[in-house]
Amino acid sequence: KQEVTQIPAALSVPEGENLVLNCSFTDSAIYNLQWFRQDPGKGLTSLLLIQSSQREQTSGRLNASLDKSSGRSTLYIAASQPGDSATYLCAVLPYGGSQGNLIFGKGTKLSVKP
Amino acid sequence: GAVVSQHPSRVICKSGTSVKIECRSLDFQATTMFWYRQFPKKSLMLMATSNEGSKATYEQGVEKDKFLINHASLTLSTLTVTSAHPEDSSFYICSAPGHRNTEAFFGQGTRLTVV
């Protein structure tokens, strides 16, 4: 059974710091991995999607890596800003599944202090 | 990117009443939509898959008679929580796959509180 774990559960950093969020999954048979951002009481915003054949994806100050064989992904946020404060979710799409089969981690709650 | 609109964003209802949540794909057609639930400090969990023109499929442990799903058109799926109880209080969110079926577009979510 696929399980997704995110560490740490919460993180507080001063503005301007670079930071790394971690995601691990137990079954490497995945189609892709996505990082989402969730603001309090709001929906999900897709940040980055990494296909199983890819090693990383970049968008602005965000960089996500994927090591499928070891079951790990990281989300790197450069020069953090208070506006980055949110919960970051990692989700994997098991191989052969449709988007409804996304398996989510519990998220990392990030707080960036001015 | 594609837009999924979910309404309402927040609802408070009394025990025993029913609540309907709507999920619309605004600029694309979705023959399938997904409904998730998220309890506090827990992961998002898939509840059911809504299929346009046919019955929804429910995940194990989800009561189909309590969570009624209707997908009457290619752009609208509704989730009705019937005879709501306080334990149904949760964050409900829908998603629709993109045309490549490997992307998901999520609604804004609905915070349901049953008092």
Side-chain angles (χ1 to χ4, degrees):
Chain A
K1 179 186 174 184
Q2 178 73 268
E3 292 184 2
V4 179
T5 303
Q6 290 186 246
I7 295 174
L11 180 64
S12 181
V13 300
E15 181 176 5
E17 271 203 10
N18 303 323
L19 58 100
V20 175
L21 307 181
N22 297 291
C23 173
S24 61
F25 47 95
T26 55
D27 188 341
S28 62
I30 65 168
Y31 201 89
N32 61 41
L33 181 145
Q34 282 184 268
W35 284 93
F36 294 88
R37 169 184 173 138
Q38 183 177 27
D39 292 282
K42 301 286 180 67
L44 274 61
T45 301
S46 180
L47 297 174
L48 290 164
L49 183 152
I50 312 176
Q51 302 291 355
S52 62
S53 58
Q54 297 174 325
R55 299 283 292 184
E56 66 176 351
Q57 283 286 332
T58 298
S59 176
R61 294 183 293 109
L62 305 180
N63 176 276
S65 69
L66 174 63
D67 185 342
K68 198 175 70 165
S69 60
S70 68
R72 296 177 189 276
S73 175
T74 61
L75 178 66
Y76 175 82
I77 302 177
S80 59
Q81 302 171 357
D84 295 330
S85 299
T87 296
Y88 291 81
L89 299 175
C90 167
V92 299
L93 178 62
Y95 190 75
S98 70
Q99 276 297 306
N101 289 347
L102 280 176
I103 310 296
F104 285 86
K106 293 182 181 181
T108 293
K109 186 175 182 179
L110 172 66
S111 176
V112 181
K113 307 292 187 184
Chain B
V3 177
V4 174
S5 177
Q6 186 173 341
H7 178 81
S9 59
R10 187 179 296 269
V11 58
I12 301 173
C13 70
K14 292 184 177 180
S15 288
T17 61
S18 296
V19 174
K20 179 185 284 188
I21 303 170
E22 293 187 348
C23 181
R24 294 180 185 273
S25 56
L26 295 186
D27 52 358
F28 67 105
Q29 294 180 335
T31 57
T32 302
M33 290 187 180
F34 306 105
W35 288 95
Y36 293 81
R37 178 169 56 184
Q38 184 181 32
F39 291 110
K41 298 186 179 180
K42 299 291 186 182
S43 304
L44 277 163
M45 297 293 290
L46 181 67
M47 296 176 63
T49 301
S50 167
N51 303 296
E52 188 268 335
S54 64
K55 292 182 179 179
T57 54
Y58 291 81
E59 296 301 301
Q60 190 174 10
V62 178
E63 300 174 59
K64 62 180 181 180
D65 294 330
K66 181 170 183 62
F67 298 99
L68 301 180
I69 290 174
N70 184 281
H71 195 150
S73 77
L74 288 171
T75 59
L76 174 64
S77 174
T78 61
L79 168 68
T80 301
V81 183
T82 63
S83 187
H85 289 102
E87 56 264 34
D88 297 324
S89 298
S90 184
F91 184 72
Y92 295 84
I93 192 166
C94 66
S95 77
H99 66 276
R100 288 186 293 173
N101 206 39
T102 56
E103 294 178 285
F105 301 99
F106 284 82
Q108 301 93 324
T110 298
R111 173 73 59 190
L112 171 64
T113 303
V114 184
V115 297

